[in-house]
Amino acid sequence: DAVYDRNRAISERFNLTLDYMGRPGLWATEAEYKGLITNTVLAGDSTFDIITGQSNIVLPLATENIYLDLADAKYIDYSKPYWKDGYHDNATINGHLYSVSGDYALTTLTETNVILFHAGLFNDYDIEYPYQLVRDGKWTLDEFYKIVKAGTNVNSTEYNPGGSDIYGIVTHNQFMGALMAGAGEKFLAVDDAGYPRALEITDRFYDVAQKITNITADKNQYVDRIVQTLKTPSTDSTTEFMMGTFLFNAETLGHIYKLRSFEDNFGVLPMPKYDEAQESYISMMATWGVLLTTVPKTNTDPERTGTILDYLAYQSYISLMEPYYDAFLTQKGARNEDSANMLSIIRDTRDVNLGYLFSWSNSMEEPIREKLMRGSTEIASIVAKYQSKVQTAIDKTMDKIEENE
């Protein structure tokens, strides 16, 4: 109903019809996207006013000179709350912004990494809910590890979810990236001049890695949905969490909808900080599920499109985002006022992994995540091998963008 009301308001306001062509689809390959988008634009085809797709596929195509620069797009006011989703400030490079994401695209919220905990098991083990730790700024990797270690109780020799054993956390290796980001560790940052720069890997980075592997080195404390759960029918960690024998589950926020039939209570938490001195929590958006919107260079009236996009985001904010957030997430999803408060923190601390979206740091991040997932801190050789390649990849992209100006 909310989507219908929003679309009707836009159609009436601008005397238009919202026509959606769902090709090639959410799970399209990079080649499929590139073929459709690039060929359409290069052919001068103005069929599409906007193009929306998976962030890690759409964004690298900025080097193909097929998108309009939206940094100073007329009639899009990025200061408004319906554009404040953690994306624009982090995705503007050298003054250029080739894609946008506002409240019309729920994925910047639903594809944000969170931690769920089993309230019933916490009660059984007399473990205090971490809500106050979060509010006091004391929800850290060390506190997370303490709870996982205290609550894990496994006697079986083989993985046996749904039995009498209690495991720590069930998730997947993208959680390693979410934990690193939550602890304030990034592989690159945009400097004062707006140019992306590879960051030096410091001792703090390795200390964060050690804190993560304190959890993952014990395969009863950390259960990976792919590596360890192949004997079960599902590789969905939320499904396994519903078996009732896991203290925690880490997934993107949208997976909460799967828990509506969950008989026990659960809570929602942001990623833990490195330590109490860290300024704020950081809630990383998934590197592949977030949908971004671009405006192709073949658009015949970009000012009109900017006006409509801004109104689309505004109408979503007042008629779609708030009902979704209030009715689905805070009431039917999180089930209690404390988790609703946690969701507000998560919503306000969203961030994006720009290095991964542009494929600048993938070569270094992926093997590091794999090592951490398997409980190993032997990552120095990976850093030594790939760190310089991150800046090389950045420079290659930036040179191509500058050539297109």
Side-chain angles (χ1 to χ4, degrees):
D1 288 345
V3 171
Y4 176 82
D5 290 341
R6 179 201 64 181
N7 292 352
R8 184 179 62 180
I10 294 165
S11 296
E12 292 177 350
R13 173 68 177 81
F14 296 101
N15 190 28
L16 57 79
T17 299
L18 291 174
D19 188 10
Y20 170 71
M21 289 184 63
R23 285 182 54 204
L26 179 62
W27 305 108
T29 65
E30 183 172 358
E32 288 173 319
Y33 264 114
K34 189 171 183 179
L36 176 64
I37 299 172
T38 306
N39 293 340
T40 298
V41 175
L42 294 181
D45 187 342
S46 59
T47 298
F48 303 110
D49 290 304
I50 63 173
I51 297 173
T52 297
Q54 290 173 240
S55 54
N56 63 320
I57 295 178
V58 169
L59 204 52
L61 292 177
T63 60
E64 302 296 323
N65 197 25
I66 59 176
Y67 301 144
L68 291 177
D69 185 355
L70 300 176
D72 299 313
K74 286 188 176 181
Y75 311 120
I76 297 182
D77 188 350
Y78 297 118
S79 68
K80 298 297 185 182
Y82 42 85
W83 289 109
K84 291 295 184 182
D85 60 5
Y87 179 75
H88 304 93
D89 291 342
N90 295 288
T92 301
I93 55 174
N94 236 18
H96 302 298
L97 181 65
Y98 294 104
S99 59
V100 296
S101 178
D103 277 350
Y104 62 87
L106 291 172
T107 55
T108 55
L109 181 61
T110 60
E111 296 301 323
T112 299
N113 289 283
V114 299
I115 297 175
L116 309 175
F117 70 88
H118 191 305
L121 291 179
F122 271 55
N123 294 337
D124 292 343
Y125 280 84
D126 198 25
I127 300 173
E128 187 174 352
Y129 298 168
Y131 296 133
Q132 196 57 46
L133 286 174
V134 175
R135 284 190 282 262
D136 292 341
K138 297 179 179 181
W139 174 236
T140 64
L141 285 169
D142 289 338
E143 292 297 329
F144 182 38
Y145 171 52
K146 286 180 185 177
I147 296 175
V148 170
K149 185 177 181 180
T152 301
N153 184 12
V154 176
N155 297 310
S156 302
T157 57
E158 293 187 2
Y159 177 61
N160 182 34
S164 59
D165 297 325
I166 304 300
Y167 296 88
I169 181 169
V170 57
T171 182
H172 48 85
N173 74 353
Q174 288 190 37
F175 181 52
M176 303 298 99
L179 283 176
M180 293 293 293
E185 288 299 326
K186 293 185 175 183
F187 294 93
L188 61 94
V190 177
D191 65 20
D192 292 339
Y195 199 97
R197 302 288 182 187
L199 295 175
E200 180 185 356
I201 302 301
T202 65
D203 290 342
R204 185 183 186 279
F205 177 89
Y206 292 104
D207 193 35
V208 170
Q210 181 61 64
K211 291 178 183 293
I212 291 173
T213 56
N214 287 341
I215 298 171
T216 60
D218 185 329
K219 295 311 172 186
N220 292 324
Q221 292 180 169
Y222 175 84
V223 176
D224 187 89
R225 73 177 188 190
I226 302 297
V227 175
Q228 289 165 268
T229 65
L230 292 178
K231 295 181 181 179
T232 64
S234 173
T235 56
D236 182 342
S237 62
T238 307
T239 300
E240 304 235 343
F241 179 67
M242 291 177 66
M243 293 180 182
T245 53
F246 298 94
L247 292 171
F248 293 101
N249 171 224
E251 260 297 354
T252 51
L253 186 57
H255 282 74
I256 283 182
Y257 86 89
K258 299 178 182 178
L259 297 175
R260 297 182 75 173
S261 62
F262 190 43
E263 295 181 358
D264 292 302
N265 285 327
F266 64 90
V268 184
L269 302 166
M271 293 297 124
K273 300 195 296 185
Y274 169 67
D275 58 19
E276 293 181 33
Q278 183 175 316
E279 185 175 348
S280 67
Y281 298 101
I282 301 172
S283 303
M284 185 60 64
M285 290 182 267
T287 53
W288 61 269
V290 174
L291 298 180
L292 299 179
T293 295
T294 63
V295 178
K297 283 199 166 183
T298 48
N299 185 298
T300 57
D301 195 344
E303 292 186 7
R304 173 178 178 271
T305 298
T307 302
I308 295 169
L309 274 175
D310 197 70
Y311 196 70
L312 176 64
Y314 165 71
Q315 280 294 334
S316 299
Y317 179 71
I318 63 172
S319 66
L320 179 59
M321 177 62 83
E322 290 186 354
Y324 175 83
Y325 179 74
D326 292 336
F328 175 64
L329 290 182
T330 60
Q331 295 178 28
K332 298 178 182 177
R335 300 189 179 190
N336 59 69
E337 186 175 344
D338 286 314
S339 280
N341 178 240
M342 298 298 105
L343 287 170
S344 296
I345 293 173
I346 292 163
R347 185 181 184 184
D348 293 340
T349 58
R350 285 173 290 174
D351 201 352
V352 63
N353 185 341
L354 190 62
Y356 206 94
L357 296 188
F358 268 104
S359 300
W360 293 331
S361 55
N362 306 36
S363 61
M364 184 163 68
E365 286 192 56
E366 290 176 0
I368 288 176
R369 289 200 316 230
E370 187 72 15
K371 285 285 188 180
L372 297 181
M373 177 194 72
R374 298 180 184 277
S376 172
T377 57
E378 295 178 0
I379 56 177
S381 60
I382 298 173
V383 172
K385 181 177 181 180
Y386 291 106
Q387 187 172 18
S388 63
K389 296 182 179 180
V390 174
Q391 190 62 52
T392 300
I394 292 172
D395 293 339
K396 184 178 179 181
T397 297
M398 298 307 295
D399 288 345
K400 197 164 184 180
I401 288 176
E402 289 174 5
E403 288 175 7
N404 294 331
E405 291 180 354

